[in-house]
Amino acid sequence: MPYALREDEKLEEKVSIDILKRLFKYLKPYKREVFIVLFFIFVVMVVDLLNPYFIKFAIDRFIKDKDSNGLILVGILMIVLNLISMISAKKRTQRMSKITHGILLNIRQDLYNHIQQLSFTFFDERPVGKILSRIISDVNSLANLFNMSITNLIPDSVTIIATLLIMFYLNSKLALYAMSMLPLLFIVLFSIQTISRKRWQVVRKKGSTLNAFTHENFSGIRVVKYFTAEKYRANIFSELAWDVRQAFVRAVRINDLFWPMVEFSWGIGTVITFYFGVKMINSGDISVGLLIAFTSYIGMFWRPIMNLSNLYNNFVIGMASAERIFEIMDIEPNIKEEEDAIDIDIKGEIEFRNVSFSYDGKRKVLDNVSFKIKPGEKVALVGHTGAGKSTIVNLLCRFYDPQEGEILIDGINIKKIKLESLRKQIAVMFQDTFLFSGTILENIKYGRLDATYDEVVETAKKVYAHDFISNMEKGYDTNINERGMRLSLGQRQIISLARTLIANPKIIILDEATASVDTYTERLLQMGIEILLKGRTSIIIAHRLSTVQNVDKIIVIENGRILEIGNHEELMKKKGIYYHMFMSQFNYWEERNSEIVS
């Protein structure tokens, strides 16, 4: 039956072939191991093909003539050959497992490395759970694809061809009877392949959504419990899990047609073969031994077809995962180094020249922003939430590139500076700091991985972290768990400060780093920050204007535009936006203090 591919199906077929080529490139480092596996497969296959012929030979020659010695010899030969086959099968499985997991390791490492190089826009658009799903679940789904492609596809295909040749050699009529159901089987297989592939793609997508929700839920479990939202979140989880189940059932339902159709074709073909085989025995055209051998060969013919149908199921699942993996690996970073990018030793001069930027390409977050910061100067960025302060930081670190204008450090456009050189010399401290699971020592060394233990201790002393660290059960080797959950918010901020100081950056950015801590910890942080800022260019994003009165320059941003620049005294005299913001906060705290006193 002719099968005409539509244009979209032709495209899908081309994509599948391209993906297969990319997948099997990962086999190249394992060529030698693959050939060894193929040798073991060949041994097992030859023994399997010889077994029915030995049985035919024994029946027609030794059993018919009652030759027990000959029968024993054939039996011993078959035992020896099958022992060799058993050992070969074991060795094949061991080596194939090594190859498969080596390939998965390489794919997972390539995927992880690639994701780490992608720009912030990639992470802005995707939940972390969906990214985890690609690295873990989708890569794991490729295991069967590689394993079965070598251990099943090649030997089963060869077995089918070899069995066909042997059957036609033994008796062409019986061979044709045995193959009579093949056309029906092929029609069914071709009819359901496209539906099956699309349904497994849906399963992977819905599973990814479930992973993303689960990751988000447990990351924010404290909020869930604070607001007693367990039932609400459980209901959402149930809906997502039900969607995954339904998608899986629909995919399996179509896949389950493969095996029954193969078994049906096998059964009908065997009945037809026996029916005509018995007639041929009665007419003297064939021997009993040949019919028995033929029965074994029919099984050897249809069993690989069943295996191949199962391989196709795994192939569909694996291809859906592979598409999702390569979809990520084909994403190019928005931020790229230019070929002539250089390493520089930053002195600390920063200049924004007519910079405009938009995250979505529609609304400008920064609009024609220009300012200059001298080396060693302490500058504050102030403005209402959403004014564009954090965007300036993101552009300076080159997490994004502006659509218009240019950003210079020491007179050099940052696009001409190597990313590693740029970011190693700029440190950012956020209000919501992030500590990794591991020890306090490891978290501080994250600022400079080659730092010694003594350097870590000396840095901790400078930011007043040494005392509380020493009082912990294992000191600097105390494990603080993910996000530093064993520490108070203030302690996390102080360790983050130590991590920043040990990096010895040339430019420091503080994003309201002391806003969420108690008065005593804030005083410690301020003393540590003074040490950190000394001799360095610093940008302070401030919401509490009382903390920036002593900076060299204040830049007032509103709706993505710079409205005022000057120090505290100058801006207060102007009685512009900064003045009103400052007085508004001042009056607020005066009223609060009055309420507390009363």
Side-chain angles (χ1 to χ4, degrees):
M1 176 176 150
Y3 184 73
L5 287 172
R6 301 191 309 270
E7 284 302 314
D8 57 335
E9 291 173 332
K10 290 179 182 177
L11 181 60
E12 283 184 3
E13 186 181 70
K14 183 178 183 298
V15 170
S16 297
I17 292 171
D18 291 340
I19 289 173
L20 278 176
K21 287 179 180 177
R22 294 177 68 174
L23 280 175
F24 283 98
K25 281 181 181 178
Y26 285 93
L27 270 175
K28 285 185 177 179
Y30 300 93
K31 280 182 182 177
R32 181 176 174 276
E33 292 289 324
V34 169
F35 281 119
I36 293 173
V37 169
L38 290 175
F39 171 75
F40 287 132
I41 289 171
F42 178 76
V43 171
V44 173
M45 186 177 63
V46 169
V47 173
D48 287 344
L49 288 170
L50 287 175
N51 278 333
Y53 191 81
F54 282 137
I55 293 171
K56 171 192 176 300
F57 186 75
I59 292 172
D60 290 345
R61 178 77 178 270
F62 300 120
I63 293 178
K64 183 179 179 181
D65 297 340
K66 299 180 180 180
D67 184 352
S68 58
N69 290 332
L71 192 61
I72 290 170
L73 286 174
V74 171
I76 292 171
L77 179 60
M78 289 184 69
I79 289 171
V80 171
L81 288 175
N82 280 277
L83 281 173
I84 294 172
S85 174
M86 185 178 68
I87 294 169
S88 297
K90 184 179 179 181
K91 292 290 185 183
R92 173 197 69 188
T93 302
Q94 290 174 342
R95 288 192 176 256
M96 195 60 228
S97 178
K98 179 181 176 182
I99 293 170
T100 299
H101 287 88
I103 291 170
L104 296 189
L105 173 65
N106 294 336
I107 292 175
R108 185 173 280 121
Q109 189 65 60
D110 287 351
L111 180 59
Y112 179 82
N113 292 344
H114 180 74
I115 289 174
Q116 284 214 122
Q117 301 304 316
L118 293 177
S119 310
F120 273 15
T121 49
F122 172 82
F123 299 95
D124 293 341
E125 296 166 357
R126 292 168 178 81
V128 174
K130 288 197 173 186
I131 299 173
L132 289 177
S133 179
R134 299 283 169 71
I135 297 174
I136 299 171
S137 301
D138 285 332
V139 173
N140 287 341
S141 295
L142 297 179
N144 284 337
L145 180 62
F146 279 106
N147 199 13
M148 296 183 71
S149 293
I150 294 174
T151 57
N152 291 85
L153 178 61
I154 297 172
D156 285 344
S157 300
V158 174
T159 298
I160 290 171
I161 296 170
T163 305
L164 269 175
L165 292 174
I166 292 172
M167 285 196 293
F168 274 99
Y169 171 76
L170 291 175
N171 192 286
S172 57
K173 283 186 178 180
L174 278 182
L176 290 173
Y177 293 142
M179 302 302 107
S180 58
M181 295 299 294
L182 271 181
L184 174 63
L185 181 65
F186 286 143
I187 290 171
V188 173
L189 294 183
F190 276 115
S191 299
I192 64 178
Q193 63 173 335
T194 304
I195 302 172
S196 178
R197 180 166 176 262
K198 289 179 179 178
R199 288 189 180 182
W200 280 112
Q201 286 174 331
V202 172
V203 171
R204 301 304 306 171
K205 288 177 182 177
K206 289 188 178 294
S208 178
T209 301
L210 181 63
N211 286 343
F213 174 83
T214 307
H215 179 274
E216 180 187 56
N217 190 79
F218 292 129
S219 295
I221 191 64
R222 282 171 172 76
V223 177
V224 173
K225 288 186 176 293
Y226 287 152
F227 293 97
T228 62
E230 291 92 340
K231 288 184 179 179
Y232 171 71
R233 300 293 285 182
N235 289 337
I236 297 175
F237 181 86
S238 296
E239 290 177 8
L240 294 175
W242 178 260
D243 285 345
V244 173
R245 177 195 177 276
Q246 291 297 91
F248 184 82
V249 168
R250 290 184 73 244
V252 169
R253 191 176 292 148
I254 192 73
N255 271 17
D256 283 348
L257 291 174
F258 282 103
W259 281 55
M261 281 306 304
V262 174
E263 288 179 333
F264 176 77
S265 301
W266 183 350
I268 298 299
T270 303
V271 169
I272 293 172
T273 304
F274 265 109
Y275 176 79
F276 288 101
V278 170
K279 282 190 172 184
M280 294 171 76
I281 289 173
N282 293 333
S283 63
D285 294 334
I286 62 172
S287 65
V288 174
L290 188 144
L291 182 59
I292 293 173
F294 223 93
T295 304
S296 297
Y297 281 122
I298 290 173
M300 291 181 65
F301 174 80
W302 285 103
R303 196 173 296 111
I305 292 179
M306 289 188 70
N307 292 339
L308 290 176
S309 69
N310 187 44
L311 173 62
Y312 180 76
N313 295 343
N314 284 282
F315 172 80
V316 170
I317 298 170
M319 287 299 290
S321 296
E323 283 180 21
R324 289 158 52 80
I325 290 169
F326 289 125
E327 175 195 344
I328 298 292
M329 294 181 74
D330 287 338
I331 297 174
E332 292 290 333
N334 293 339
I335 308 300
K336 295 182 181 179
E337 285 185 355
E338 296 190 2
E339 291 183 4
D340 56 347
I342 59 173
D343 290 302
I344 69 165
D345 186 13
I346 292 176
K347 296 181 176 60
E349 183 183 83
I350 301 170
E351 184 177 1
F352 274 56
R353 289 183 184 170
N354 308 114
V355 171
S356 294
F357 175 75
S358 170
Y359 288 104
D360 58 11
K362 298 175 182 177
R363 188 181 71 85
K364 284 188 177 181
V365 181
L366 294 179
D367 186 8
N368 197 32
V369 168
S370 297
F371 62 85
K372 192 169 185 177
I373 301 174
K374 297 175 183 176
E377 199 169 26
K378 190 187 296 185
V379 175
L381 301 178
V382 303
H384 294 105
T385 301
K389 303 184 296 295
S390 296
T391 300
I392 289 176
V393 173
N394 286 332
L395 293 178
L396 180 60
C397 296
R398 213 182 162 214
F399 296 133
Y400 303 90
D401 279 336
Q403 283 85 21
E404 299 174 25
E406 57 181 351
I407 303 166
L408 300 93
I409 291 181
D410 297 340
I412 302 172
N413 191 315
I414 61 173
K415 291 182 179 180
K416 297 289 185 181
I417 303 172
K418 289 184 178 178
L419 288 173
E420 186 176 0
S421 177
L422 174 70
R423 292 172 184 168
K424 268 192 172 182
Q425 299 180 77
I426 301 176
V428 185
M429 264 194 72
F430 297 101
Q431 178 179 337
D432 181 20
T433 189
F434 189 98
L435 298 180
F436 294 91
S437 57
T439 65
I440 293 174
L441 178 70
E442 290 167 342
N443 270 280
I444 295 176
K445 285 181 66 175
Y446 203 82
R448 182 161 57 86
L449 297 175
D450 60 352
T452 65
Y453 179 85
D454 290 338
E455 287 174 327
V456 171
V457 173
E458 187 62 31
T459 302
K461 288 178 178 178
K462 288 180 180 179
V463 295
Y464 307 98
H466 180 70
D467 289 342
F468 83 78
I469 293 174
S470 299
N471 288 331
M472 301 190 79
E473 67 269 21
K474 293 184 180 179
Y476 286 85
D477 292 321
T478 302
N479 197 305
I480 58 176
N481 300 333
E482 186 181 355
R483 294 181 179 270
M485 289 303 180
R486 290 194 57 192
L487 303 175
S488 69
L489 183 59
Q491 288 172 333
R492 279 179 252 165
Q493 287 285 41
I494 292 173
I495 288 177
S496 177
L497 184 62
R499 182 172 64 187
T500 304
L501 181 58
I502 206 169
N504 193 28
K506 304 297 177 63
I507 297 173
I508 299 286
I509 300 167
L510 302 177
D511 190 351
E512 202 63 71
T514 64
S516 301
V517 297
D518 58 84
T519 306
Y520 173 73
T521 305
E522 182 177 4
R523 190 159 59 248
L524 290 181
L525 276 170
Q526 288 292 0
M527 290 189 290
I529 286 171
E530 287 301 318
I531 295 170
L532 181 64
L533 300 185
K534 192 174 181 180
R536 297 181 171 93
T537 303
S538 56
I539 298 175
I540 302 167
I541 296 177
H543 299 98
R544 288 190 292 174
L545 302 183
S546 58
T547 62
V548 298
Q549 294 181 50
N550 298 321
V551 300
D552 300 312
K553 186 188 298 180
I554 298 170
I555 300 175
V556 183
I557 306 170
E558 195 67 33
N559 294 325
R561 301 180 70 89
I562 293 179
L563 300 183
E564 295 177 343
I565 297 180
N567 59 36
H568 175 73
E569 288 76 15
E570 292 169 348
L571 295 179
M572 289 299 287
K573 288 177 183 178
K574 287 179 67 174
K575 293 192 176 182
I577 292 200
Y578 176 81
Y579 170 82
H580 290 292
M581 289 173 63
F582 184 85
M583 293 306 296
S584 174
Q585 289 190 9
F586 179 78
N587 292 333
Y588 170 79
W589 288 110
E590 282 289 303
E591 291 173 7
R592 289 284 293 155
N593 291 334
S594 299
E595 289 174 7
I596 293 170
V597 171
S598 61

